[in-house]
Amino acid sequence: MRTRSSESFIVLPLLPIFLIGLFPMLLLSLLGPAGLIILGILVASAGLTDILDANGTFSEQIIVHGYARGTERNGQRTALRSERRFAAIMIAAGIGLAVTGIGGLALS
């Protein structure tokens, strides 16, 4: 039979993570629907930043390394498309959160 050991040793390393994440969660819960709007704007802004960063990285590759071979170009385009796709999902999620928050404000 296996003895049950204490897992309390993991509490101390995880305490800073908990304390850092406590304030935003408390703030969002106190703000209610307005907190959802703020969170949606932040997520959508992060998505827009990702799109701009992906375009900048793609342009930098073209400018610095010049005209690449077909396989390299395809790899760069694929990376750009995948980053744009993920950023579009983040933007859609942010807009959804903001719309949900606006609906919550309208209902309250």
Side-chain angles (χ1 to χ4, degrees):
M1 181 151 192
R2 189 174 154 199
T3 60
R4 186 150 178 102
S5 61
S6 174
E7 295 174 352
S8 60
F9 65 89
I10 200 164
V11 171
L12 190 61
L14 291 179
L15 188 62
I17 296 170
F18 174 74
L19 292 176
I20 290 171
L22 181 69
F23 178 70
M25 294 304 288
L26 180 65
L27 186 64
L28 285 175
S29 66
L30 291 176
L31 288 175
L36 278 179
I37 295 171
I38 292 170
L39 185 63
I41 291 171
L42 289 175
V43 169
S45 297
L48 288 172
T49 302
D50 282 349
I51 286 179
L52 292 174
D53 189 40
N55 286 334
T57 303
F58 182 75
S59 297
E60 181 181 346
Q61 289 291 327
I62 298 296
I63 292 170
V64 171
H65 298 293
Y67 192 75
R69 284 183 269 148
T71 56
E72 292 177 13
R73 268 197 327 264
N74 288 338
Q76 291 170 353
R77 278 191 218 126
T78 303
L80 178 66
R81 284 186 195 125
S82 66
E83 288 184 39
R84 278 185 174 176
R85 194 175 309 124
F86 180 70
I89 292 170
M90 285 181 63
I91 292 170
I95 291 171
L97 284 170
V99 167
T100 304
I102 290 170
L105 280 177
L107 291 175
S108 62

